[in-house]
Amino acid sequence: MKSFDIKTKIYFGDHALDRLSDLPYQRVMVITDPFVVQSGMIKLITYRLEEGSTVHEVFSDVVPDPPIDKIAVGIKALLEYKPDAIIAVGGGSAIDSAKSIKKFASDIGNLSEVPLIAIPTTSGTGSEVTSFAVISDPKNQVKYPLVSDQLIPSEAILDAELVRSVPPAITADTGMDVLTHAIEAYVSINNNEFSAALAEKSIEICGVWLLRAYLDGNDMHARKKIHVASCLAGLAFNSASLGLNHGMAHPLGANFHIPHGRANAMLLPHIIEFNSDINIHSKSKEEYLPAVKKYCNIAKLLGLNNFNEITTVRSLVNWIQFMLKEMNIPISVSQTDKVTENEYMSKIDALADAALADGCTATNPRVPTKTQVKEIYRNLW
């Protein structure tokens, strides 16, 4: 028996942030990152809280790839402040930090009933509606995925005004993260009709609006569309989980500090080729792997339908590579200038072990061997 539910109430569209003026809470803690505070973006949140007579405190000691020690600082601050609710404002790191802080604080100090309101300032992670968070251990170069219903926000507020100023490079990275979430959820072994419908719509939106959002950040219609697509993809993978793409991207980020969305984007063509067992040398077969039909469906959603399974999957891979080039995303690790070839190649064995142990890999449509994962990493160089 399967089940599907959406536990997060989602506010979206024009003036969605006005929800903050109507909160039924007297005392909230806002967890965000320094940029949101320094840029003045935080005022879009705080003035609405003040309009609603909600007392607030801002905790902004948040950094990318939230490390364990920063989470501990946040737990202490939360337990001392004892808010009626928590508001997370920021990208994936801020929302993941808030989720982790809330979960561990509730385990320590009985704060499990404190609601979490997530307000994303990037269109990428979908973290505002998922039961997932990722924290890191920089000392051991490991990222730890957390999975718990306690991590699902009570509310999500999607206001595209918060992403208007996101620079093109981050729009590209996070947008490709959305597309990867949707594609991986769609081909996951845990996919279902509900997750598939959400993933399909997210893919369709990305195909039409992502490049527009990248080329013109002031195109607010495109911004709104991708902001919604991010949430749809989050709902999809919260139900269906992800796959090898994310399983391999996490070690790349942990070891070489490649932005998560960028790592996913670079891997995506390689993972589609692996999961479909179709590449530039493929010839027609009587029977294809199960993921092939789904990749062909994705290609059709993007207007890429071709002569047969091989040419259709190849057109999907080519379209993704086209998107990477149009948005100036590196297509290989060597183009990122994050690591030397010798250092990268020396870590491939450890990268492969980490990818195979990653929880996301378990729901990949094709079970990979360590040798195959190492080969993908080598090809990615």
Side-chain angles (χ1 to χ4, degrees), residues 304-369:
L304 304 172
N305 195 21
N306 221 300
F307 297 109
N308 56 34
E309 289 90 341
I310 290 174
T311 55
T312 301
V313 172
R314 289 303 308 158
S315 69
L316 175 60
V317 170
N318 291 339
W319 180 83
I320 291 167
Q321 291 171 331
F322 162 79
M323 289 290 285
L324 300 189
K325 290 173 183 175
E326 286 293 301
M327 296 190 294
N328 292 307
I329 295 175
I331 61 172
S332 64
V333 175
S334 61
Q335 293 180 359
T336 66
D337 297 324
K338 295 285 187 179
V339 59
T340 65
E341 184 174 4
N342 286 341
E343 183 187 359
Y344 179 77
M345 293 300 175
S346 71
K347 287 193 173 185
I348 279 183
D349 196 74
L351 292 173
D353 284 335
L356 290 170
D358 192 286
C360 294
T361 302
T363 46
N364 197 64
R366 185 182 179 191
V367 179
T369 65

Side-chain angles (χ1 to χ4, degrees), residues 119-133:
I119 307 175
T121 60
T122 60
S123 305
T125 67
S127 190
E128 68 274 8
V129 290
T130 72
S131 59
F132 300 91

Side-chain angles (χ1 to χ4, degrees), residues 29-91:
M29 173 172 275
V30 179
I31 297 178
T32 189
D33 58 66
F35 173 77
V36 170
V37 175
Q38 293 161 8
S39 67
M41 193 185 298
I42 192 68
K43 294 176 183 176
L44 295 173
I45 309 300
T46 55
Y47 95 75
R48 288 177 167 90
L49 293 175
E50 289 159 4
E51 278 185 346
S53 301
T54 302
V55 177
H56 63 273
E57 180 171 297
V58 176
F59 175 85
S60 61
D61 195 3
V62 169
V63 297
D65 300 322
I68 294 169
D69 61 331
K70 293 292 186 184
I71 300 300
V73 174
I75 293 168
K76 183 174 183 292
L78 187 66
L79 291 173
E80 288 177 353
Y81 189 64
K82 295 182 174 63
D84 301 323
I86 302 164
I87 299 176
V89 184

